[in-house]
Amino acid sequence: MRAFIASSIGVTCAAVLVLPLAVPAGAAPDTRTVPAGSAGSVQSVDVPGSTQSLPMRTLSEPFGRSTGDPARTAAPERGLPEREVHPFSLVGVVWDDANAELHGTVQVRTRATDTGAWSDWQDLETHNAEHSADPGTAERDSGTVRGSTAPLWVGDSDAVAVRVSPEAPDPQDRTGSAVPLPAGLRLELVDPGKDPRQLPVTDTGTAVAAGAMSAAGARVQADTTADGRTAALAPSVLPALSKARSEAQGEAEAGLAPGARPYIGPRPRIITRKGWGADEKLRERKFVYTGKVKAAFIHHSATGNNYTCSQAPSVLRGIYRYHVKSSGWRDIGYNFAVDKCGNIYEGRAGGVTKAVLGAHTLGFNTNSMGIAVLGTFTKSNPPAAAVTAVAKLTAWKLGLFGANPRGKVTLVSGGSNKYKKGKKVKLNVISGHRDGFATECPGARLYKKLGSARTSSAKLQGR
């Protein structure tokens, strides 16, 4: 029996609870997401990593939250009391209807595997619908997409508790109706797995290569097999190139005469999907492309800042598995990711030089790319190395498509809570997620750095 005090932002009062630890029935390592209705049963599969999917229940003892008016009692809280589970490092919550919003707070508490210490209650970002495929696309309408919170990186953990608290009834609503929670709430516990091919990355942002790069390692993009899987000889890292070589390769790939694209920044070093250990069996085989990359939307992953740069590949594998197995997307949503040390990672598969359709900015995925800085920057400043990496990446990738990082571009909305479908919107070529959708992303502190990123990016292009 363990007692703890429930206290955190978003909870109006605290209550002392005494809850038993329980191991979910049938839980086992190496599991894919459990289908709805299976009550915690799992299916063993031979893939790196795993996902435990646990259905929530109405909590028998509310966590002390009350509206103060018996006629306006909030809807019942749902969750799970403290329980031991198989090891995991990333956690999120999903529900059945991708179009349903979760009006309330989601909080988790986890136990560290090495110390046995329980964390405080931590908030999960509930408004995650804006990170998704556009309405009307095959990915969005696949029938597999679920509503989901942003995932949270918690490190190696072996026990968890979760509570989902609905919003109190609107005092202006005379009926006193409680705000219902979405149906099918499930707790997703992701083990990113350990990949022996993973390229070691130090906390100073320097990769530790096993040997000199082969000729294959200098290719612009990872080779793929006929069915779209990463080939065995694909490089783990694409080395940085000079501006001259980057321009020459960009011109050659586009079939242009030399000098036709003078504003291409030097290609930065990029860790490929093979380098961070992406399990290519998880994603869909086919790739989907758009016409061009006219804009870059900058995000924060909202997974928290409690990771080391050597753990960044694991964080990425966790987000990837959560996007595909838990949220039902075809692949990881972002086209690229950047960690706190400035390392750059390939995101959604299809080729780093290509205009790959992502699922990062609802309404504006077409003709754009999404770059996620790993972390949460609502109240914390982004590291300078991460902002510099954003500038380097955009200078190169936008340059391949002739886009000026300090310029403006007009995109057509695919439909969002900020711009209706079909509306032509003038945006910065390097925009924050909030510019296309009413959201806090990429966090106020990172958003303030986009001006300097634009300036640096343009200088790298030679503008």
Side-chain angles (χ1 to χ4, degrees):
M1 303 287 285
R2 298 174 184 265
F4 60 89
I5 300 231
S7 62
S8 69
I9 297 174
V11 179
T12 56
C13 60
V16 177
L17 302 178
V18 181
L19 300 171
L21 285 177
V23 178
D30 276 340
T31 60
R32 292 189 189 272
T33 302
V34 181
S38 57
S41 62
V42 294
Q43 175 186 3
S44 179
V45 291
D46 185 19
V47 296
S50 64
T51 302
Q52 300 169 76
S53 186
L54 307 176
M56 295 189 200
R57 60 176 176 79
T58 300
L59 295 170
S60 56
E61 293 292 337
F63 284 94
R65 196 171 62 84
S66 171
T67 64
D69 181 353
R72 291 181 176 273
T73 302
E77 291 179 313
R78 296 187 65 81
L80 293 171
E82 289 182 355
R83 61 177 57 199
E84 292 181 347
V85 292
H86 287 282
F88 68 97
S89 298
L90 182 138
V91 59
V93 169
V94 301
W95 53 92
D96 294 342
D97 186 358
N99 295 316
E101 291 188 30
L102 194 161
H103 295 283
T105 60
V106 179
Q107 297 176 315
V108 295
R109 196 166 181 257
T110 58
R111 189 179 71 186
T113 302
D114 56 351
T115 66
W118 281 91
S119 71
D120 294 330
W121 286 103
Q122 301 182 78
D123 293 309
L124 273 63
E125 175 56 61
T126 58
H127 302 294
N128 197 45
E130 63 267 28
H131 300 83
S132 182
D134 288 348
T137 60
E139 181 173 5
R140 180 72 180 192
D141 298 339
S142 64
T144 65
V145 178
R146 304 177 184 90
S148 61
T149 67
L152 179 69
W153 178 261
V154 294
D156 293 339
S157 305
D158 59 9
V160 67
V162 60
R163 61 188 185 196
V164 183
S165 305
E167 287 182 353
D170 185 348
Q172 303 301 319
D173 183 356
R174 296 183 178 181
T175 66
S177 300
V179 180
L181 292 172
L185 286 168
R186 306 182 70 82
L187 178 66
E188 303 288 293
L189 305 176
V190 179
D191 169 17
K194 295 178 175 61
D195 192 308
R197 300 171 303 169
Q198 176 182 318
L199 184 70
V201 179
T202 72
D203 286 338
T204 60
T206 303
V208 183
M213 290 293 296
S214 66
R219 293 172 186 165
V220 175
Q221 64 188 59
D223 292 339
T224 55
T225 60
D227 65 358
R229 307 302 183 194
T230 298
L233 295 179
S236 293
V237 64
L238 302 177
L241 297 179
S242 67
K243 188 175 189 301
R245 287 192 63 188
S246 299
E247 288 178 350
Q249 285 196 0
E251 291 162 359
E253 178 159 326
L256 301 176
R261 272 190 190 176
Y263 297 117
I264 300 176
R267 186 184 76 192
R269 178 180 171 279
I270 301 173
I271 299 171
T272 66
R273 290 171 65 89
K274 181 179 180 180
W276 54 265
D279 179 4
E280 301 297 346
K281 296 186 295 296
L282 292 181
R283 65 171 174 84
E284 287 188 8
R285 294 184 177 186
K286 296 181 180 180
F287 308 129
V288 180
Y289 300 97
T290 63
K292 293 183 177 181
V293 176
K294 298 180 179 180
F297 286 97
I298 311 305
H299 306 256
H300 66 176
S301 63
T303 46
N305 302 320
N306 296 323
Y307 72 94
T308 63
C309 291
S310 61
Q311 292 176 320
S314 295
V315 176
L316 268 178
R317 290 198 304 277
I319 294 173
Y320 172 42
R321 176 173 278 273
Y322 183 75
H323 281 180
V324 176
K325 304 306 297 180
S326 300
S327 301
W329 301 358
R330 65 193 316 272
D331 194 351
I332 191 171
Y334 309 112
N335 298 103
F336 294 93
V338 172
D339 69 24
K340 63 174 66 175
C341 292
N343 295 297
I344 299 171
Y345 303 84
E346 176 187 13
R348 181 164 286 207
V352 295
T353 65
K354 305 294 186 182
V356 179
L357 179 66
H360 49 84
T361 306
L362 185 70
F364 293 98
N365 290 303
T366 298
N367 293 333
S368 72
M369 67 172 176
I371 302 171
V373 180
L374 300 181
T376 304
F377 303 108
T378 304
K379 298 180 180 179
S380 299
N381 289 321
V387 178
T388 298
V390 169
K392 290 180 178 179
L393 177 57
T394 52
W396 170 70
K397 184 63 181 281
L398 290 173
L400 295 177
F401 294 87
N404 182 348
R406 285 188 296 196
K408 301 281 188 178
V409 64
T410 298
L411 300 178
V412 179
S413 174
S416 73
N417 67 352
K418 193 168 185 177
Y419 299 107
K420 66 180 181 180
K421 184 175 183 179
K423 183 175 178 59
K424 294 181 179 180
V425 183
K426 192 172 184 179
L427 297 164
N428 288 312
V429 168
I430 298 180
S431 285
H433 187 180
R434 62 175 62 184
D435 295 323
F437 196 99
T439 174
E440 290 188 0
C441 185
R445 298 294 183 89
L446 177 55
Y447 188 76
K448 289 181 179 178
K449 298 293 184 180
L450 296 189
S452 61
R454 295 183 191 107
T455 300
S456 298
S457 182
K459 287 182 178 179
L460 288 167
Q461 285 189 346
R463 296 182 185 272

